[in-house]
Amino acid sequence: MSSIPAGVPTREIYWNVPFHDLLYVFLVPTLAIAAWGVYRRVRLWRAGQPILRFDRLGERLDLFVKDVLAQGRVVRSSYAAFFHTGLVIGFLVLFAATTVVAIQADLKIPIMQGPFYLFFQSLTVDLFGLYVLVGCAMAGYRRWKTKPAKLVYTDEATRLVLLIGVISLTGFLCEGWRIAVTDDPWGGWSPVGFVFAAASDSMMSDSLMKTLHTGTWWFHMALSFGFVAWAPYTKMLHVLTSPLNIFTANLDGYGASLKPLDFEKAERLGVNALTDFTWKDLLDLDACTECGRCTAVCPANTVGKTLSPRDIILDLRELMHNNAPALLTTLGANGAGTKGADSSAPAGAIDAAATLPPVIREGTPLDPEALFSCTTCAACMEACPVHIEQLPKIIDARRYLVMEEAEFPEGMMNAITSLESRQHPFPGTQFNRTDWAEGLGLDVLGDMEDPTEAEVVFWVGCGGALVERNRSTVRATAKLLKRAGVKFAILGREESCTGDPARRIGNEFLYEMLAKGNVETLNKYGTKQIVTSCPHCFNSFKNEYPQFGGDYQVHHHSQYLQELVEDGRLLNGKDDVEKKLDRKVVYHDPCYLGRHNGEYKAPRALLDGALNTKREEVARSGRDSFCCGGGGGMMYIDEKPDQRVNQERASQLLESGADTVAVGCPFCATMLEDGVNARKGDREVSVMDIAELLLEAAGDDEASAPVAE
């Protein structure tokens, strides 16, 4: 310290600490133990199948900054955000401070002095150290006092909170005793340590404080080193795995999260072994922080079903760790994951893979009943602060049950059978693909001399053409397109299901057959643009059909109609809204339009332009919207009366006091109409698509009621 001029703010490093060089003797095994813990986890992940997740580095760095450094998703929960952000930033600041000490002590570079010492090494470090201590107290209070149901309660978690708290507290004790004994003139710049110093000075002698300081300093270091060595063997590994998981997240949105199958090479269709998952899937398992946010927002879990996205991840993690030896044996000579019984894999790897227990097991979180109650709404993925991908894992397990075991609910089975024989999922319908268009005089692509004259193809969808309630929606959309002078056409009888229900139920083979057939038909007519009122069809065309050669400009009808309004082609001049609606409207966000594809503005803009009154919003809206219950094949299931997702959502919407529930999806229209009718009591409440409301505002009475036969 002699190289620093007198009067310059600083402090003596390792004051009152004998044999401090032993730190480095202990540091080597500490880091070795920690590194081994990380390495053994990395080896487990590498047993998974390959997937590209280190591309598009710019986008990944942006996501890293947003959701790791800025804690973008963590802060959505205010209580957890406060203490978790404090722990994260506090640890970073304390690590930086320790690095500064090492630079000055070991490299003899005098940086820990002057204003930097006062403002950062003293004041900033003290405040963030206090933040860590407060964060531990808040975490403990929530874990031991309020005990929210979404958390997982383990002795390990308790020990971790206590350990971090004791490390922080002993650090402040050492600082306080040093300030008190040395009469540090700069001690006031360390406010927390200064308080400890003042309290101790009034009760202890300098000799006692020096003795306590030495013992506590070594105890503090032992705890710190122990924490570093132990962390990779506990849930604290998420300090490393969570940032890595966020960096390698799917960048294409939830609507593009399902991976296709290679039917020619696949030894097993779907997933029923850990080795069937990708390395990213296995990383997901170790990235889980057990916060329970996914299960808390799951609609199936909310209404009392056994599905718990959190427990699926934790069950798979336990399965992975309990079967680590067999899983590691499946690694090939080059360290790449094997593909089941691939003949190129070592014989020992094949035998080990065969000994792995099945992923899908009765009476566990991956019970078939739980897996088939998922609505595929992706609320779990949106809620997860570390971007775990629960939904694709559920669909992968469904694929195995459907295509390998032919085991799935009867209602879904009937829908699949109808898709196979009639190319739509409604076996009882009496309508055909063109009945809804009677009297509208619409062009059909197959009947046009030059189909390329159609500005867009209006894709009606099964739910629009074949479900009576939704025929008024597609008629309203077609009328609005005609009013705007859009040159459009329909496929008519050539249209078939996009395959969305088949894919989400788990029949990937049937989905691919339907998708390829639709792409062939559309490309035959030179289709460039598609407009559809079904978000599920919209998602299929936008995110999934390109892999089959179906590259189209795709619009949900709310997006396209809003563009027409903005361009002055609709509701302008003679078609201006002459009777803005006095309805009290609440809008329900469809999962496949909002959460899966990020469209929240266009439907609201259309409604706001058609209403005299202010549109209502409910708490569960936008990215947090609660599912109608119809996705993932659940529309075809007769749920238990006390476990109906559509009724739960209807109750939420009815709490707004609205007399009209606006939707933008045929699934939502069907499910919520049933739900509202069951929960509305004596109130007059209707469920209407945004196209129906817009047409009503424009003066067409047909939009106010379904088409009658």
Side-chain angles (χ1 to χ4, degrees):
M1 304 297 290
S2 59
S3 62
I4 301 175
V8 175
T10 188
R11 67 174 174 84
E12 180 183 350
I13 297 176
Y14 301 131
W15 173 82
N16 194 45
V17 182
F19 311 112
H20 56 77
D21 288 339
L22 288 175
L23 278 177
Y24 295 95
V25 176
F26 299 137
L27 182 62
V28 172
T30 296
L31 294 180
I33 294 170
W36 174 252
V38 174
Y39 173 68
R40 63 195 287 270
R41 298 293 183 94
V42 173
R43 292 181 69 206
L44 288 178
W45 309 334
R46 293 177 67 196
Q49 301 299 314
I51 188 173
L52 180 61
R53 287 298 176 88
F54 288 98
D55 57 339
R56 300 157 65 177
L57 292 180
E59 294 176 61
R60 296 193 182 282
L61 287 172
D62 286 344
L63 187 63
F64 185 88
V65 171
K66 174 185 173 184
D67 284 345
V68 177
L69 300 183
Q71 298 280 284
R73 290 193 173 187
V74 173
V75 298
R76 294 177 184 177
S77 173
S78 56
Y79 188 91
F82 185 83
F83 76 75
H84 191 273
T85 302
L87 292 172
V88 171
I89 299 178
F91 263 98
L92 292 175
V93 170
L94 294 174
F95 177 77
T98 303
T99 303
V100 168
V101 170
I103 290 173
Q104 176 148 326
D106 302 326
L107 302 181
K108 309 304 180 184
I109 301 175
I111 59 175
M112 203 177 79
Q113 58 178 295
F116 175 78
Y117 170 75
L118 296 178
F119 286 99
F120 177 74
Q121 202 73 2
S122 297
L123 181 61
T124 300
V125 171
D126 243 41
L127 293 179
F128 277 98
L130 178 62
Y131 200 170
V132 171
L133 200 57
V134 171
C136 289
M138 292 178 67
Y141 181 82
R142 186 173 73 147
R143 184 164 290 276
W144 306 318
K145 183 66 175 178
T146 60
K147 297 182 178 181
K150 65 182 180 181
L151 292 185
V152 175
Y153 296 90
T154 63
D155 292 339
E156 178 190 278
T158 297
R159 288 193 290 267
L160 285 169
V161 172
L162 290 174
L163 179 57
I164 295 171
V166 172
I167 289 173
S168 300
L169 180 61
T170 53
F172 280 126
L173 286 171
C174 289
E175 180 182 55
W177 290 327
R178 176 190 60 79
I179 292 172
V181 174
T182 62
D183 290 324
D184 185 354
W186 316 108
W189 285 86
S190 302
V192 183
F194 190 78
V195 169
F196 277 88
S200 299
D201 211 14
S202 63
M203 297 184 294
M204 304 178 187
S205 66
D206 285 359
S207 175
L208 177 58
M209 284 190 282
K210 287 186 69 174
T211 301
L212 290 174
H213 174 274
T214 301
T216 303
W217 192 95
W218 279 109
F219 180 62
H220 172 81
M221 295 310 301
L223 289 179
S224 299
F225 280 20
F227 176 76
V228 171
W230 182 45
Y233 303 87
T234 71
K235 66 176 287 186
M236 277 304 298
L237 183 67
H238 82 266
V239 172
L240 298 178
T241 55
S242 294
L244 178 59
N245 207 55
I246 292 171
F247 184 81
T248 57
N250 170 35
L251 298 177
D252 295 322
Y254 310 136
S257 62
L258 302 185
K259 58 184 181 294
L261 294 180
D262 188 335
F263 290 100
E264 295 182 359
K265 295 182 180 179
E267 288 290 329
R268 178 170 31 234
L269 302 179
V271 164
N272 197 27
L274 289 168
T275 48
D276 295 332
F277 287 119
T278 69
W279 66 260
K280 174 59 171 63
D281 289 320
L282 300 182
L283 170 59
D284 272 356
L285 310 183
D286 276 331
C288 180
T289 64
E290 303 177 4
C291 68
R293 295 190 190 190
C294 54
T295 293
V297 299
C298 174
N301 189 271
T302 298
V303 297
K305 297 180 182 180
T306 57
L307 176 62
S308 170
R310 176 201 64 197
D311 293 343
I312 285 176
I313 298 301
L314 296 182
D315 183 75
L316 288 172
R317 183 170 73 186
E318 182 179 12
L319 199 67
M320 179 174 70
H321 292 169
N322 289 345
N323 293 275
L327 189 61
L328 291 174
T329 307
T330 65
L331 285 168
N334 62 353
T338 65
K339 295 185 178 180
D342 190 331
S343 60
S344 65
I350 297 172
D351 293 340
T355 66
L356 288 170
V359 163
I360 305 166
R361 306 175 322 281
E362 296 281 349
T364 72
L366 282 100
D367 184 288
E369 180 182 351
L371 293 170
F372 282 112
S373 63
C374 175
T375 67
T376 70
C377 68
C380 53
M381 295 173 68
E382 178 63 34
C384 180
V386 297
H387 290 256
I388 290 171
E389 298 167 26
Q390 299 93 337
L391 172 57
K393 295 173 183 56
I394 292 173
I395 298 300
D396 281 337
R398 282 186 173 190
R399 287 171 172 176
Y400 177 83
L401 290 169
V402 171
M403 293 187 288
E404 292 280 2
E405 302 292 333
E407 178 187 344
F408 53 114
E410 182 180 358
M412 292 184 184
M413 190 175 297
N414 292 337
I416 291 294
T417 301
S418 181
L419 280 166
E420 291 173 334
S421 61
R422 304 178 67 185
Q423 289 75 55
H424 67 72
F426 301 109
T429 185
Q430 299 300 310
F431 300 118
N432 64 42
R433 292 278 182 180
T434 58
D435 284 345
W436 68 272
E438 183 180 352
L440 295 180
L442 304 184
D443 289 327
V444 179
L445 282 176
D447 298 335
M448 297 174 66
E449 291 185 9
D450 183 6
T452 61
E453 289 183 355
E455 188 177 335
V456 297
V457 171
F458 177 32
W459 186 272
V460 182
C462 306
L466 304 173
V467 176
E468 183 173 10
R469 185 266 163 264
N470 296 320
R471 295 170 72 204
S472 59
T473 296
V474 291
R475 284 183 69 88
T477 303
K479 285 189 172 187
L480 290 167
L481 293 176
K482 292 186 73 172
R483 281 175 178 251
V486 177
K487 295 180 180 179
F488 72 97
I490 61 174
L491 275 172
R493 294 179 183 272
E494 287 190 271
E495 183 179 299
S496 67
C497 183
T498 58
D500 167 84
R503 186 169 224 199
R504 270 67 195 175
I505 288 172
N507 195 325
E508 184 71 9
F509 183 82
L510 177 57
Y511 160 74
E512 186 171 314
M513 182 184 72
L514 291 166
K516 287 180 177 179
N518 286 326
V519 168
E520 181 180 355
T521 300
L522 290 165
N523 289 353
K524 175 180 67 176
Y525 292 118
T527 301
K528 301 298 182 185
Q529 287 195 83
I530 296 174
V531 173
T532 179
S533 58
C534 178
H536 295 258
C537 298
F538 169 75
N539 181 72
S540 295
F541 285 125
K542 178 184 175 184
N543 295 312
E544 299 176 339
Y545 272 35
Q547 64 187 274
F548 302 110
D551 293 305
Y552 315 110
Q553 186 177 355
V554 189
H555 311 267
H556 183 252
H557 73 319
S558 65
Q559 296 173 322
Y560 197 73
L561 292 174
Q562 179 59 19
E563 289 178 13
L564 294 175
V565 171
E566 291 175 352
D567 292 343
R569 297 176 64 181
L570 183 65
L571 302 182
N572 185 47
K574 66 181 181 64
D575 287 326
D576 200 0
V577 178
E578 296 178 355
K579 53 172 189 176
K580 279 201 173 186
L581 305 179
D582 290 324
R583 294 174 177 268
K584 188 175 183 181
V585 175
V586 62
Y587 175 64
H588 163 80
D589 287 280
C591 300
Y592 275 75
L593 181 63
R595 199 153 38 236
H596 282 263
N597 286 284
E599 181 56 77
Y600 304 107
K601 294 181 180 179
R604 287 173 169 80
L606 283 175
L607 290 171
D608 291 344
L611 296 174
N612 262 332
T613 56
K614 181 181 178 182
R615 176 178 41 81
E616 301 296 321
E617 289 280 5
V618 290
R620 296 294 299 271
S621 64
R623 70 184 181 206
D624 300 320
S625 182
F626 194 89
C627 184
C628 74
M634 293 303 297
M635 185 173 184
Y636 317 109
I637 297 295
D638 185 16
E639 299 174 281
K640 296 178 181 178
D642 60 341
Q643 294 183 347
R644 292 182 175 171
V645 174
N646 64 331
Q647 292 189 15
E648 174 65 25
R649 180 53 170 169
S651 294
Q652 296 170 8
L653 295 167
L654 288 169
E655 287 178 3
S656 69
D659 56 47
T660 304
V661 175
V663 297
C665 172
F667 284 64
C668 298
T670 301
M671 298 299 292
L672 291 179
E673 189 162 79
D674 288 345
V676 166
N677 286 339
R679 294 292 180 92
K680 69 180 182 180
D682 296 331
R683 291 170 55 183
E684 290 294 327
V685 183
S686 59
V687 177
M688 296 182 67
D689 188 89
I690 49 180
E692 296 174 290
L693 287 165
L694 197 62
L695 189 60
E696 181 182 326
D700 192 316
D701 293 334
E702 182 185 355
S704 62
V707 178
E709 282 296 297

